[in-house]
Amino acid sequence: MDSNIEENLETVRKKIKVAAEKNERSAEEIKLVAVTKNVSVDRIKVAIDAGITDIGENKAQEAKKKADELKKDIVWHFIGHLQTNKVKTVIEFADLIQSVDSIKLALEINKRAKQISKVQDILVQVNIAEEATKFGIEKGEIGALLEEIGSLTNLQARGLMTIAPLIENPEKLRPFFMKMKALFENIRALNVPNINMDYLSMGMTNDFEVAIESGANMVRIGTGIFGIIRE
Ligand SMILES: *Cc1c(COP(=O)(O)O)cnc(C)c1O
């Protein structure tokens, strides 16, 4: 069972390499975040032993518990929708909060981070396909949010994140990923103080190859590593 994790990881890494090379980059330029929602600590340890350094979780309490248990040199990513009342919990363990999508949330993270003398790295989550059901900020509102974030002393913007629409054929997602890449480069070219565009986080099990081919340098993969996990 657990040997699957190692095999799956090897397959994922090979695919990352091929996709990166298509995009004239090397596999080392792509950060792999293993998404471990609903995955037990024992199975996470197998992935860590196989070289996983970055872990993504989408629920505050579950993530906090695992982070406490796994005390290792792991980089913790919070990738789920974040309610303001959970911010206090999340900033205790998260190295990178990937899901900042409102000024209200940015202000709360900044306030709580200040209280524990932390500068919190964040990504701005973009709803690139403008789906009514999705979290993330719409393109037109990003300027105002980044301006606000730029002024907050305990927040550090490190890039953008998106969750692509649920479409079976990942090829159909290419235009969305290309739009994200263009947005990322445009913001980077603005050189706004306190706004760094280091990470473009896009691509999940079903679509990470197309995302990398389009310019992603961080992918978030769950089922591709751990298999399908039921709650
Ligand atoms: C669950 C999740 C992933 C991983 O999805 P898989 O399809 O299992 O690879 C990536 N990003 C976010 C935000 C998630 O919630």
Side-chain angles (χ1 to χ4, degrees):
M1 184 68 170
D2 281 350
S3 68
N4 278 347
I5 294 174
E6 285 152 12
E7 279 166 33
N8 292 347
L9 254 175
E10 204 173 296
T11 306
V12 165
R13 287 200 177 106
K14 273 187 196 142
K15 288 180 177 173
I16 287 175
K17 184 166 187 282
V18 171
E21 281 168 3
K22 271 194 199 169
N23 198 240
E24 285 164 12
R25 290 181 295 164
S26 71
E28 288 72 47
E29 289 171 79
I30 317 293
K31 176 65 75 185
L32 169 58
V33 178
V35 176
T36 55
K37 56 189 183 212
N38 306 320
V39 177
S40 70
V41 166
D42 283 347
R43 284 168 66 75
I44 297 174
K45 282 180 182 161
V46 175
I48 292 169
D49 287 342
I52 284 295
T53 55
D54 288 63
I55 288 183
E57 285 275 347
N58 69 343
K59 292 199 192 88
Q61 297 302 340
E62 183 183 344
K64 170 76 169 60
K65 202 164 153 259
K66 287 175 179 172
D68 286 345
E69 247 180 277
L70 280 163
K71 291 190 185 74
K72 261 201 171 188
D73 296 331
I74 292 164
V75 181
W76 287 91
H77 298 251
F78 190 80
I79 60 175
H81 177 61
L82 183 52
Q83 289 166 315
T84 49
N85 63 355
K86 298 281 168 61
V87 166
K88 190 170 177 291
T89 304
V90 168
I91 61 165
E92 282 174 34
F93 67 86
D95 297 291
L96 184 64
I97 299 176
Q98 298 205 7
S99 46
V100 175
D101 63 355
S102 71
I103 289 178
K104 186 178 163 217
L105 180 57
L107 289 170
E108 180 66 16
I109 296 171
N110 184 66
K111 184 179 107 186
R112 295 289 182 181
K114 191 170 270 171
Q115 288 170 353
I116 60 167
S117 306
K118 180 182 187 184
V119 176
Q120 178 68 58
D121 280 352
I122 58 125
L123 302 183
V124 169
Q125 182 178 352
V126 181
N127 182 359
I128 198 68
E130 304 194 351
E131 294 176 284
T133 54
K134 277 272 163 68
F135 295 113
I137 193 161
E138 299 209 349
K139 234 175 121 180
E141 296 162 21
I142 295 170
L145 177 58
L146 285 175
E147 203 174 304
E148 185 72 42
I149 290 170
S151 74
L152 298 173
T153 52
N154 292 71
L155 271 200
Q156 175 67 59
R158 302 292 305 276
L160 304 180
M161 181 271 243
T162 199
I163 302 173
L166 264 176
I167 298 175
E168 194 85 27
N169 178 1
E171 204 45 57
K172 294 218 166 91
L173 298 172
R174 196 179 292 271
F176 295 122
F177 291 140
M178 299 296 282
K179 259 199 211 173
M180 278 296 294
K181 171 69 170 165
L183 187 61
F184 180 77
E185 292 301 337
N186 286 343
I187 295 169
R188 176 137 76 181
L190 293 176
N191 271 321
V192 184
N194 206 26
I195 303 293
N196 295 345
M197 286 291 127
D198 303 316
Y199 297 117
L200 179 55
S201 172
M202 56 186 192
M204 303 170 30
T205 297
N206 186 46
D207 56 25
F208 71 92
E209 291 157 282
V210 177
I212 292 170
E213 285 168 28
S214 308
N217 63 8
M218 181 178 276
V219 292
R220 311 176 307 267
I221 301 184
T223 49
I225 298 170
F226 298 101
I228 308 229
I229 288 141
R230 288 184 197 86
E231 297 206 34

